[in-house]
Amino acid sequence: MHLDTRRLFSAAAHQLRASEIRELLKLLNRPQMISFAGGLPNPAAFPAEELGDLVKKVVKEHGAEALQYGPTEGYVRLRNAIARGMGEHLSIAAGVDDVLITTGSQQALSLLSTVLVDPGDVVLTASPTYLGAMLTFNSTLARVEGVHTDEHGIEPDALEAKLQELEKGGKKPKFLYLVPTFDNPTGITIPLVRRRRIYEIASRFDLLIIEDDPYGLLRYEGVAVPPIKALDTEDRVVYVGSFSKILAPGFRVAWMTAPPALMSKLVLAKQAQDLCTNTFGQFAVFEAMRENLLFPHIEKIKQLYHRKRDLMLEAVSREFPKELRWNRPEGGLFLWVQLPEKMNALDLLNKAIERNVAFVIGRPFFPDNRGHNTLRMNFSYAGDSDISLGVQRLAEVIRSEMSRDPDDDSHDHVDVF
Amino acid sequence: MHLDTRRLFSAAAHQLRASEIRELLKLLNRPQMISFAGGLPNPAAFPAEELGDLVKKVVKEHGAEALQYGPTEGYVRLRNAIARGMGEHLSIAAGVDDVLITTGSQQALSLLSTVLVDPGDVVLTASPTYLGAMLTFNSTLARVEGVHTDEHGIEPDALEAKLQELEKGGKKPKFLYLVPTFDNPTGITIPLVRRRRIYEIASRFDLLIIEDDPYGLLRYEGVAVPPIKALDTEDRVVYVGSFSKILAPGFRVAWMTAPPALMSKLVLAKQAQDLCTNTFGQFAVFEAMRENLLFPHIEKIKQLYHRKRDLMLEAVSREFPKELRWNRPEGGLFLWVQLPEKMNALDLLNKAIERNVAFVIGRPFFPDNRGHNTLRMNFSYAGDSDISLGVQRLAEVIRSEMSRDPDDDSHDHVDVF
């Protein structure tokens, strides 16, 4: 008799379902397709020239360590370099013991979920928020609740109202998860004044904040805003950083810094999850920092993405009907677009794919399934000429969809930023 | 007010506690220390000469892919090579879709635990069993129950009795976890006849088996025994393999093969846990396979460890008092030693460390805290001359401990293999 493994599934397994976005992305491999859908760095942003010799050197000079198991906490010289880097570049005070290396920032979120969330616990996020975070929180059976977002990120008043409402119901959320700088999916950066208010509210309600910051160093214009962690005088912010967008995702090296009591549990959870992050990648990243390759390289990435962002903004301004709204992100990888209220981004996407251009619909990023008329456009991955051509194709599909609908001027009623 | 993160801990966090073994290993960095404690491959077993050029080539020729995010399932050419390798070297029939790349085999265990275990679920293991597996199962709040083990591994009669007992109590275990070949910690290989009996019992009780096989290809003498997965006609065995012991742990590349319905949940759980295994390491491992470097290299590792095993067995035979018992593992990394019943391995260890020699006590490997008089000795890591010297030192400590105790001939009463 064959074993039916489905009868063995845990509650978490029943909760885990394929995201429609990821399933969609698999369909976009046609060579003619221009995709603004993924969130991938551009391969031209990888320092391949320098890394070839660097990885060879890692094997030759450090092979006995770099090819071996390493401590769960991570390679100590890398942790040290990150602690110093956080001080210099992010105004975050941290020592080597405050840094835990993780297998991508996704693992940081998974570890936090493991040690903080029991089934049914409330977790707060912006609405919309990073889909991968929501999937992870869901996998530990959290109840994810979104906080309303305007063009400057989550609204402090909405956060406070939500916390009061939960308090009345006898619920204390386990944490508030945010991507405060160049948010995924919206590209929004929360201004400093609002960061202070959010922190003050968190303090008042004794709330833990998880600050996920994969894009913070990729600013193309405007003035840097300090991370919320830099304002943290009460040990209530966990900071998550990553080398995926500033060096290369293929090494899967990220890090987190958390209050000490939490840190020791995170280390144990990581031990149970994968023992240690791949040592080889950690050595490669450390050598890139030690040889002073990383920060000059970030400048090159910024030039590349700055140009691509400008190309996309220009094309969108030129091509998109006036009924659409979009933002002007000062960094990161994403543009956020709002269609007229009566339009549906999913219908548009199906038509767009027929015309060989793709984006990601906004709805799955909303914990409460709103945002049917929103979409995310990635500007880091496509080639320069494809950006113009893709936006042109997309604009044609949009115009054709709008002309199908006689009542196409309902954009006054949108309620998402 | 500072946030006390401890009040936010999940039930899993409360369950996660530092293992006494790992804490101990941190103390063994003294340069004079001869350690048989860890489970590390010998750095001399890493093909550093070949890997230097290989990793450079990965960057130069495949950088755009190898430095990028990859599919959660893993790099398709590596999955394909593994599927073929399992057929050729392990008699396991598998296609590319049956292979999921994981971040070390530890992650395979963690994913299985996530999608199969709800709090309080029973999970069966050998007693003793691999500590890292137990920690992972515990982290998902499983109730780990050990099955009695003799010199040929878990006893089929004991397994059957345990299953009957659970059935009477209305409990169905989620799975049976085994390291059937060159077990950690015992070095035992379950003979084919017994594998068949275990499979037949699993079939009768409709039980899922997880076969963890990191050492199977490291056989130094005797005839290869097929994995339990090779006997699996009913899709009831999950096989977990790893490159850590046959190439290098530093890449953190392992794999698992599982029945399709289970596989799709494992992929989703991995997506939530770390998105994908480090792409760079996957490309490096694939290139090592493609350039036909891997299998000739395994022969070299076997020569090295065969010699070290013989050195340890010779030293132990020469030096250890006749009251001790130990086995002769035909492969793998570990020797399992039984002290006289009245001796305590932890007391011995404290004395041994004073004499600059270390091992791992057996008790933490027992789900039921038995095995106070057992210990594990690793023979892969120490230098050749250190093996003789370390065993000599250890034997002196043992003799001195035995002479302290007038009643030192109680070894007839041992009940662990």
PDB file of all heavy atoms in Angstrom, chain A residues 84-111:
ATOM      1  N   ARG A  84      31.122  47.063  12.436  1.00  0.00           N
ATOM      2  CA  ARG A  84      31.765  48.351  12.147  1.00  0.00           C
ATOM      3  C   ARG A  84      31.037  49.102  11.034  1.00  0.00           C
ATOM      4  O   ARG A  84      30.783  50.295  11.132  1.00  0.00           O
ATOM      5  CB  ARG A  84      33.243  48.152  11.791  1.00  0.00           C
ATOM      6  CG  ARG A  84      34.148  48.281  13.018  1.00  0.00           C
ATOM      7  CD  ARG A  84      35.617  48.203  12.652  1.00  0.00           C
ATOM      8  NE  ARG A  84      36.000  46.840  12.319  1.00  0.00           N
ATOM      9  CZ  ARG A  84      36.402  46.426  11.114  1.00  0.00           C
ATOM     10  NH1 ARG A  84      36.502  47.282  10.115  1.00  0.00           N
ATOM     11  NH2 ARG A  84      36.725  45.160  10.924  1.00  0.00           N
ATOM     12  N   GLY A  85      30.662  48.364   9.987  1.00  0.00           N
ATOM     13  CA  GLY A  85      29.949  48.970   8.859  1.00  0.00           C
ATOM     14  C   GLY A  85      28.624  49.589   9.276  1.00  0.00           C
ATOM     15  O   GLY A  85      28.250  50.656   8.786  1.00  0.00           O
ATOM     16  N   MET A  86      27.921  48.915  10.187  1.00  0.00           N
ATOM     17  CA  MET A  86      26.636  49.465  10.644  1.00  0.00           C
ATOM     18  C   MET A  86      26.853  50.782  11.377  1.00  0.00           C
ATOM     19  O   MET A  86      26.046  51.698  11.268  1.00  0.00           O
ATOM     20  CB  MET A  86      25.905  48.455  11.538  1.00  0.00           C
ATOM     21  CG  MET A  86      25.271  47.323  10.744  1.00  0.00           C
ATOM     22  SD  MET A  86      23.969  46.473  11.676  1.00  0.00           S
ATOM     23  CE  MET A  86      24.949  45.713  12.948  1.00  0.00           C
ATOM     24  N   GLY A  87      27.944  50.860  12.135  1.00  0.00           N
ATOM     25  CA  GLY A  87      28.265  52.111  12.811  1.00  0.00           C
ATOM     26  C   GLY A  87      28.583  53.226  11.814  1.00  0.00           C
ATOM     27  O   GLY A  87      28.023  54.316  11.885  1.00  0.00           O
ATOM     28  N   GLU A  88      29.449  52.906  10.841  1.00  0.00           N
ATOM     29  CA  GLU A  88      29.917  53.932   9.908  1.00  0.00           C
ATOM     30  C   GLU A  88      28.845  54.377   8.914  1.00  0.00           C
ATOM     31  O   GLU A  88      28.746  55.557   8.585  1.00  0.00           O
ATOM     32  CB  GLU A  88      31.114  53.412   9.103  1.00  0.00           C
ATOM     33  CG  GLU A  88      32.426  53.445   9.881  1.00  0.00           C
ATOM     34  CD  GLU A  88      33.538  52.720   9.137  1.00  0.00           C
ATOM     35  OE1 GLU A  88      33.557  52.772   7.884  1.00  0.00           O
ATOM     36  OE2 GLU A  88      34.379  52.083   9.805  1.00  0.00           O
ATOM     37  N   HIS A  89      28.079  53.435   8.393  1.00  0.00           N
ATOM     38  CA  HIS A  89      27.193  53.752   7.272  1.00  0.00           C
ATOM     39  C   HIS A  89      25.738  53.875   7.666  1.00  0.00           C
ATOM     40  O   HIS A  89      24.926  54.378   6.896  1.00  0.00           O
ATOM     41  CB  HIS A  89      27.338  52.691   6.176  1.00  0.00           C
ATOM     42  CG  HIS A  89      28.717  52.625   5.603  1.00  0.00           C
ATOM     43  ND1 HIS A  89      29.116  53.443   4.577  1.00  0.00           N
ATOM     44  CD2 HIS A  89      29.797  51.880   5.948  1.00  0.00           C
ATOM     45  CE1 HIS A  89      30.383  53.181   4.294  1.00  0.00           C
ATOM     46  NE2 HIS A  89      30.827  52.238   5.106  1.00  0.00           N
ATOM     47  N   LEU A  90      25.361  53.378   8.848  1.00  0.00           N
ATOM     48  CA  LEU A  90      23.942  53.368   9.211  1.00  0.00           C
ATOM     49  C   LEU A  90      23.676  53.987  10.587  1.00  0.00           C
ATOM     50  O   LEU A  90      22.534  53.984  11.047  1.00  0.00           O
ATOM     51  CB  LEU A  90      23.412  51.916   9.202  1.00  0.00           C
ATOM     52  CG  LEU A  90      23.495  51.183   7.854  1.00  0.00           C
ATOM     53  CD1 LEU A  90      23.341  49.676   8.054  1.00  0.00           C
ATOM     54  CD2 LEU A  90      22.416  51.697   6.910  1.00  0.00           C
ATOM     55  N   SER A  91      24.720  54.484  11.223  1.00  0.00           N
ATOM     56  CA  SER A  91      24.589  55.084  12.563  1.00  0.00           C
ATOM     57  C   SER A  91      23.991  54.118  13.578  1.00  0.00           C
ATOM     58  O   SER A  91      23.280  54.526  14.499  1.00  0.00           O
ATOM     59  CB  SER A  91      23.721  56.355  12.510  1.00  0.00           C
ATOM     60  OG  SER A  91      24.169  57.209  11.502  1.00  0.00           O
ATOM     61  N   ILE A  92      24.230  52.825  13.367  1.00  0.00           N
ATOM     62  CA  ILE A  92      23.744  51.822  14.314  1.00  0.00           C
ATOM     63  C   ILE A  92      24.922  51.343  15.151  1.00  0.00           C
ATOM     64  O   ILE A  92      25.916  50.852  14.596  1.00  0.00           O
ATOM     65  CB  ILE A  92      23.097  50.625  13.575  1.00  0.00           C
ATOM     66  CG1 ILE A  92      21.835  51.073  12.827  1.00  0.00           C
ATOM     67  CG2 ILE A  92      22.775  49.487  14.547  1.00  0.00           C
ATOM     68  CD1 ILE A  92      21.242  50.016  11.909  1.00  0.00           C
ATOM     69  N   ALA A  93      24.824  51.492  16.465  1.00  0.00           N
ATOM     70  CA  ALA A  93      25.897  51.049  17.354  1.00  0.00           C
ATOM     71  C   ALA A  93      25.745  49.553  17.598  1.00  0.00           C
ATOM     72  O   ALA A  93      24.711  49.104  18.090  1.00  0.00           O
ATOM     73  CB  ALA A  93      25.828  51.811  18.670  1.00  0.00           C
ATOM     74  N   ALA A  94      26.748  48.772  17.222  1.00  0.00           N
ATOM     75  CA  ALA A  94      26.671  47.319  17.421  1.00  0.00           C
ATOM     76  C   ALA A  94      28.070  46.755  17.579  1.00  0.00           C
ATOM     77  O   ALA A  94      29.022  47.228  16.956  1.00  0.00           O
ATOM     78  CB  ALA A  94      25.965  46.656  16.236  1.00  0.00           C
ATOM     79  N   GLY A  95      28.193  45.740  18.412  1.00  0.00           N
ATOM     80  CA  GLY A  95      29.445  45.012  18.551  1.00  0.00           C
ATOM     81  C   GLY A  95      29.329  43.682  17.824  1.00  0.00           C
ATOM     82  O   GLY A  95      28.262  43.319  17.323  1.00  0.00           O
ATOM     83  N   VAL A  96      30.444  42.954  17.811  1.00  0.00           N
ATOM     84  CA  VAL A  96      30.462  41.692  17.076  1.00  0.00           C
ATOM     85  C   VAL A  96      29.395  40.720  17.601  1.00  0.00           C
ATOM     86  O   VAL A  96      28.770  39.990  16.823  1.00  0.00           O
ATOM     87  CB  VAL A  96      31.888  41.075  17.103  1.00  0.00           C
ATOM     88  CG1 VAL A  96      32.335  40.793  18.531  1.00  0.00           C
ATOM     89  CG2 VAL A  96      31.969  39.820  16.259  1.00  0.00           C
ATOM     90  N   ASP A  97      29.137  40.730  18.899  1.00  0.00           N
ATOM     91  CA  ASP A  97      28.151  39.806  19.470  1.00  0.00           C
ATOM     92  C   ASP A  97      26.711  40.156  19.108  1.00  0.00           C
ATOM     93  O   ASP A  97      25.792  39.367  19.347  1.00  0.00           O
ATOM     94  CB  ASP A  97      28.276  39.755  20.995  1.00  0.00           C
ATOM     95  CG  ASP A  97      29.570  39.084  21.418  1.00  0.00           C
ATOM     96  OD1 ASP A  97      30.107  38.287  20.618  1.00  0.00           O
ATOM     97  OD2 ASP A  97      30.034  39.370  22.539  1.00  0.00           O
ATOM     98  N   ASP A  98      26.527  41.343  18.564  1.00  0.00           N
ATOM     99  CA  ASP A  98      25.179  41.760  18.165  1.00  0.00           C
ATOM    100  C   ASP A  98      24.845  41.346  16.739  1.00  0.00           C
ATOM    101  O   ASP A  98      23.776  41.687  16.228  1.00  0.00           O
ATOM    102  CB  ASP A  98      25.044  43.288  18.277  1.00  0.00           C
ATOM    103  CG  ASP A  98      25.276  43.780  19.685  1.00  0.00           C
ATOM    104  OD1 ASP A  98      24.745  43.145  20.607  1.00  0.00           O
ATOM    105  OD2 ASP A  98      26.007  44.773  19.869  1.00  0.00           O
ATOM    106  N   VAL A  99      25.760  40.657  16.063  1.00  0.00           N
ATOM    107  CA  VAL A  99      25.550  40.317  14.655  1.00  0.00           C
ATOM    108  C   VAL A  99      25.423  38.802  14.499  1.00  0.00           C
ATOM    109  O   VAL A  99      26.315  38.049  14.881  1.00  0.00           O
ATOM    110  CB  VAL A  99      26.714  40.839  13.781  1.00  0.00           C
ATOM    111  CG1 VAL A  99      26.512  40.413  12.327  1.00  0.00           C
ATOM    112  CG2 VAL A  99      26.839  42.349  13.893  1.00  0.00           C
ATOM    113  N   LEU A 100      24.305  38.375  13.944  1.00  0.00           N
ATOM    114  CA  LEU A 100      24.093  36.973  13.593  1.00  0.00           C
ATOM    115  C   LEU A 100      23.992  36.890  12.074  1.00  0.00           C
ATOM    116  O   LEU A 100      23.149  37.552  11.465  1.00  0.00           O
ATOM    117  CB  LEU A 100      22.799  36.452  14.231  1.00  0.00           C
ATOM    118  CG  LEU A 100      22.289  35.082  13.769  1.00  0.00           C
ATOM    119  CD1 LEU A 100      23.287  33.968  14.063  1.00  0.00           C
ATOM    120  CD2 LEU A 100      20.938  34.760  14.417  1.00  0.00           C
ATOM    121  N   ILE A 101      24.870  36.089  11.461  1.00  0.00           N
ATOM    122  CA  ILE A 101      24.814  35.902  10.005  1.00  0.00           C
ATOM    123  C   ILE A 101      23.670  34.931   9.692  1.00  0.00           C
ATOM    124  O   ILE A 101      23.521  33.901  10.359  1.00  0.00           O
ATOM    125  CB  ILE A 101      26.137  35.317   9.472  1.00  0.00           C
ATOM    126  CG1 ILE A 101      27.332  36.186   9.890  1.00  0.00           C
ATOM    127  CG2 ILE A 101      26.085  35.162   7.945  1.00  0.00           C
ATOM    128  CD1 ILE A 101      27.379  37.553   9.285  1.00  0.00           C
ATOM    129  N   THR A 102      22.882  35.261   8.669  1.00  0.00           N
ATOM    130  CA  THR A 102      21.759  34.392   8.289  1.00  0.00           C
ATOM    131  C   THR A 102      21.839  34.030   6.805  1.00  0.00           C
ATOM    132  O   THR A 102      22.548  34.680   6.041  1.00  0.00           O
ATOM    133  CB  THR A 102      20.408  35.086   8.559  1.00  0.00           C
ATOM    134  OG1 THR A 102      20.353  36.308   7.815  1.00  0.00           O
ATOM    135  CG2 THR A 102      20.220  35.377  10.037  1.00  0.00           C
ATOM    136  N   THR A 103      21.116  32.964   6.447  1.00  0.00           N
ATOM    137  CA  THR A 103      21.077  32.499   5.061  1.00  0.00           C
ATOM    138  C   THR A 103      20.040  33.334   4.313  1.00  0.00           C
ATOM    139  O   THR A 103      18.889  32.945   4.140  1.00  0.00           O
ATOM    140  CB  THR A 103      20.738  30.998   5.035  1.00  0.00           C
ATOM    141  OG1 THR A 103      21.719  30.303   5.828  1.00  0.00           O
ATOM    142  CG2 THR A 103      20.793  30.451   3.620  1.00  0.00           C
ATOM    143  N   GLY A 104      20.483  34.510   3.883  1.00  0.00           N
ATOM    144  CA  GLY A 104      19.571  35.496   3.317  1.00  0.00           C
ATOM    145  C   GLY A 104      18.743  36.142   4.413  1.00  0.00           C
ATOM    146  O   GLY A 104      18.640  35.609   5.525  1.00  0.00           O
ATOM    147  N   SER A 105      18.169  37.305   4.117  1.00  0.00           N
ATOM    148  CA  SER A 105      17.343  37.941   5.148  1.00  0.00           C
ATOM    149  C   SER A 105      16.039  37.170   5.321  1.00  0.00           C
ATOM    150  O   SER A 105      15.390  37.268   6.356  1.00  0.00           O
ATOM    151  CB  SER A 105      17.078  39.410   4.826  1.00  0.00           C
ATOM    152  OG  SER A 105      16.592  39.547   3.523  1.00  0.00           O
ATOM    153  N   GLN A 106      15.680  36.369   4.319  1.00  0.00           N
ATOM    154  CA  GLN A 106      14.499  35.511   4.488  1.00  0.00           C
ATOM    155  C   GLN A 106      14.657  34.630   5.724  1.00  0.00           C
ATOM    156  O   GLN A 106      13.712  34.442   6.487  1.00  0.00           O
ATOM    157  CB  GLN A 106      14.309  34.641   3.236  1.00  0.00           C
ATOM    158  CG  GLN A 106      12.999  33.877   3.214  1.00  0.00           C
ATOM    159  CD  GLN A 106      11.786  34.784   3.030  1.00  0.00           C
ATOM    160  OE1 GLN A 106      11.860  35.793   2.343  1.00  0.00           O
ATOM    161  NE2 GLN A 106      10.682  34.426   3.660  1.00  0.00           N
ATOM    162  N   GLN A 107      15.860  34.084   5.928  1.00  0.00           N
ATOM    163  CA  GLN A 107      16.044  33.248   7.117  1.00  0.00           C
ATOM    164  C   GLN A 107      15.913  34.062   8.395  1.00  0.00           C
ATOM    165  O   GLN A 107      15.413  33.557   9.400  1.00  0.00           O
ATOM    166  CB  GLN A 107      17.396  32.523   7.117  1.00  0.00           C
ATOM    167  CG  GLN A 107      17.454  31.527   8.283  1.00  0.00           C
ATOM    168  CD  GLN A 107      18.788  30.851   8.458  1.00  0.00           C
ATOM    169  OE1 GLN A 107      19.832  31.472   8.372  1.00  0.00           O
ATOM    170  NE2 GLN A 107      18.748  29.555   8.717  1.00  0.00           N
ATOM    171  N   ALA A 108      16.381  35.306   8.363  1.00  0.00           N
ATOM    172  CA  ALA A 108      16.230  36.140   9.561  1.00  0.00           C
ATOM    173  C   ALA A 108      14.749  36.230   9.936  1.00  0.00           C
ATOM    174  O   ALA A 108      14.380  36.076  11.110  1.00  0.00           O
ATOM    175  CB  ALA A 108      16.812  37.528   9.305  1.00  0.00           C
ATOM    176  N   LEU A 109      13.892  36.444   8.933  1.00  0.00           N
ATOM    177  CA  LEU A 109      12.452  36.540   9.203  1.00  0.00           C
ATOM    178  C   LEU A 109      11.899  35.211   9.704  1.00  0.00           C
ATOM    179  O   LEU A 109      11.060  35.161  10.604  1.00  0.00           O
ATOM    180  CB  LEU A 109      11.714  36.977   7.933  1.00  0.00           C
ATOM    181  CG  LEU A 109      12.189  38.297   7.317  1.00  0.00           C
ATOM    182  CD1 LEU A 109      11.341  38.649   6.105  1.00  0.00           C
ATOM    183  CD2 LEU A 109      12.167  39.431   8.343  1.00  0.00           C
ATOM    184  N   SER A 110      12.406  34.120   9.125  1.00  0.00           N
ATOM    185  CA  SER A 110      11.941  32.802   9.538  1.00  0.00           C
ATOM    186  C   SER A 110      12.342  32.503  10.987  1.00  0.00           C
ATOM    187  O   SER A 110      11.549  31.973  11.770  1.00  0.00           O
ATOM    188  CB  SER A 110      12.513  31.755   8.579  1.00  0.00           C
ATOM    189  OG  SER A 110      12.238  30.461   9.028  1.00  0.00           O
ATOM    190  N   LEU A 111      13.568  32.857  11.348  1.00  0.00           N
ATOM    191  CA  LEU A 111      14.030  32.625  12.723  1.00  0.00           C
ATOM    192  C   LEU A 111      13.220  33.467  13.707  1.00  0.00           C
ATOM    193  O   LEU A 111      12.823  32.989  14.781  1.00  0.00           O
ATOM    194  CB  LEU A 111      15.517  32.961  12.853  1.00  0.00           C
ATOM    195  CG  LEU A 111      16.486  32.132  11.998  1.00  0.00           C
ATOM    196  CD1 LEU A 111      17.910  32.655  12.137  1.00  0.00           C
ATOM    197  CD2 LEU A 111      16.419  30.653  12.375  1.00  0.00           C
TER     198      LEU A 111
END
